[in-house]
Amino acid sequence: MVMSFVEMRRVPSEWLQERLETIKQLKEDSLELYEVAKDKLTGEHYLHYAYIHKQIAAIGPESSGEESFHHLMPIDSDDVLGLVFGEQSFDYPEHWKKAFLRNGPDGDYVWFDPSYTEQENENEEIGASLQEQLLRFKQAPERSEEAVRKLLEELDRTLGRDDNG
């Protein structure tokens, strides 16, 4: 049975080289490449993004000063058509909102989920709000039991908790 890359935690780069074929090149310049690729065994499609990172500080005889990185995002049939016919944007990172494979230092590809950045931003906003509420409480002259209860209720609302805990 042929296993989909989507079902694997780590994907050896050799497997990608053997199984993926380019369907259409979307863009290429001296630093970047975008193409639609297809897994010959499963029929699944991927948006392949490759780029070269030039290290200015690279030193030593073994250092070329360049590293190449590859990302492969699974795409469905509608996305394939949209990309092939130029009707859909594909630029990284703006249009890479779902989990994708990216190469790592050991040569294998691993899954990366970019949605954590949205959660991170949301958590930062909540943290800033909590900090502001606590600062207002510290600056207020009242420290009664009622004032503390109101503060805790406000903090719970900010955290999205209801009255039941």
Side-chain angles (χ1 to χ4, degrees), residues 129-155:
S129 177
L130 294 173
Q131 186 176 14
E132 182 181 315
Q133 292 169 19
L134 290 171
L135 183 61
R136 279 196 315 262
F137 179 77
K138 285 181 180 181
Q139 293 172 345
E142 187 181 352
R143 297 279 191 273
S144 69
E145 186 176 318
E146 179 65 18
V148 171
R149 186 183 61 71
K150 285 183 180 179
L151 170 67
L152 292 175
E153 287 173 358
E154 190 177 328
L155 294 175

Side-chain angles (χ1 to χ4, degrees), residues 4-70:
S4 168
F5 297 137
V6 177
E7 299 169 356
M8 303 170 69
R9 236 181 114 179
R10 295 175 70 101
V11 180
S13 60
E14 300 82 30
W15 289 17
L16 292 169
Q17 290 172 358
E18 291 170 11
R19 290 173 51 174
L20 291 181
E21 65 180 343
T22 300
I23 300 300
K24 177 163 175 129
Q25 188 170 327
L26 304 173
K27 176 183 173 185
E28 182 176 19
D29 60 33
S30 62
L31 298 176
E32 292 184 317
L33 164 77
Y34 289 93
E35 63 187 11
V36 174
K38 179 180 178 181
D39 183 337
K40 294 182 272 191
L41 298 181
T42 65
E44 297 169 322
H45 289 86
Y46 295 87
L47 176 57
H48 177 207
Y49 169 57
Y51 66 96
I52 294 176
H53 174 75
K54 295 188 180 241
Q55 294 182 315
I56 296 173
I59 55 175
E62 69 281 348
S63 176
S64 67
E66 290 185 354
E67 288 182 273
S68 64
F69 296 92
H70 298 268

